[in-house]
Amino acid sequence: MALKEVYDYFRHYDKDTYQVVACMGNEPSEEDVQDFENQYGIRLPEDFREFTMSSLGGLFMEVREELWPRAKAYDVAPFWTFCRGIKVLGIADGIPDFLDIRIKTKELHDLGFVDYIPFLSIIGDGDVIFCFDKDNHIVALDWYNSGETEELECDFSELLLQQIAELEERKNEMIKLLEKGKSSQ
């Protein structure tokens, strides 16, 4: 049910607010997904498998720069103001490296985190990545600082919808801050 909500959201998302890029037309086959699973001895959760084989697989979603200007080098601000988008890793041929689950899994495993398959991250938060563990539970992995994980009580679809809602909240807060800054000039 939740995956249907994800698809519904992207059928009607605000194109003036968000830049969204996905594999659209370059979806991986069942065999491509199975090859990845066989390489790591796993079976990805069904809702993630379906999503990654859909036109939305390998998703990049970011608030447009004209609404949320990018931080400049040495900018100091609250952490959340840097978190302006979402990346869902995918398996499509020709997918950019920064969205390729095969590349990101190898990188994470090379760092010693071999029990995790990364699949979602927040643009602007380089410390935490959402992963499937060896039992297909979703964990937030702080791979950069502590190496600790926090198990989350949700499936892929619920997590993606939650992250979209949180992005929406951050975007609204950023717009308020920018409007407040303009009115005080």
Side-chain angles (χ1 to χ4, degrees):
M1 180 61 174
L3 202 49
K4 180 185 177 320
E5 292 174 48
V6 170
Y7 295 147
D8 287 346
Y9 174 84
F10 283 103
R11 274 196 233 6
H12 304 97
Y13 78 96
D14 183 353
K15 292 172 180 64
D16 293 331
T17 299
Y18 296 103
Q19 173 186 353
V20 174
V21 180
C23 68
M24 295 181 216
N26 198 23
E27 298 87 343
S29 67
E30 175 73 26
E31 185 179 325
D32 295 330
V33 174
Q34 286 176 350
D35 287 347
F36 175 78
E37 292 173 330
N38 291 340
Q39 180 178 356
Y40 290 101
I42 56 151
R43 169 91 179 168
L44 294 166
E46 290 306 315
D47 62 341
F48 182 78
R49 291 177 105 258
E50 180 181 329
F51 183 84
T52 204
M53 288 189 290
S54 78
S55 60
L56 288 172
L59 177 73
F60 175 88
M61 176 183 186
E62 183 177 49
V63 178
R64 294 191 177 277
E65 188 164 7
E66 55 271 18
L67 296 175
W68 188 332
R70 303 301 169 255
K72 309 234 180 333
Y74 310 111
D75 277 358
V76 177
F79 171 74
W80 68 266
T81 64
F82 297 94
C83 301
R84 64 187 187 281
I86 299 168
K87 294 186 290 188
V88 179
L89 303 179
I91 300 174
D93 285 334
I95 194 168
D97 289 355
F98 74 94
L99 287 174
D100 193 323
I101 195 171
R102 297 162 294 199
I103 291 172
K104 294 303 176 186
T105 298
K106 182 180 180 331
E107 289 174 358
L108 196 63
H109 287 200
D110 287 350
L111 291 170
F113 297 103
V114 296
D115 292 332
Y116 305 104
I117 302 295
F119 67 89
L120 188 147
S121 63
I122 305 303
I123 297 169
D125 183 353
D127 297 346
V128 175
I129 189 163
F130 296 96
C131 302
F132 299 117
D133 70 9
K134 57 185 164 76
D135 298 317
N136 270 346
H137 298 128
I138 293 177
V139 297
L141 170 64
D142 184 347
W143 70 273
Y144 187 74
N145 292 311
S146 67
E148 294 178 4
T149 60
E150 175 188 350
E151 187 172 329
L152 307 176
E153 297 296 324
C154 60
D155 62 20
F156 164 74
S157 304
E158 292 166 333
L159 177 64
L160 181 53
L161 288 168
Q162 173 192 353
Q163 292 305 315
I164 290 169
E166 290 178 14
L167 176 58
E168 207 40 59
E169 289 173 20
R170 290 191 302 271
K171 182 246 333 165
N172 292 338
E173 192 63 31
M174 178 57 83
I175 288 172
K176 284 183 208 172
L177 278 176
L178 293 170
E179 288 173 355
K180 185 177 178 181
K182 287 178 185 176
S183 68
S184 66
Q185 289 180 356

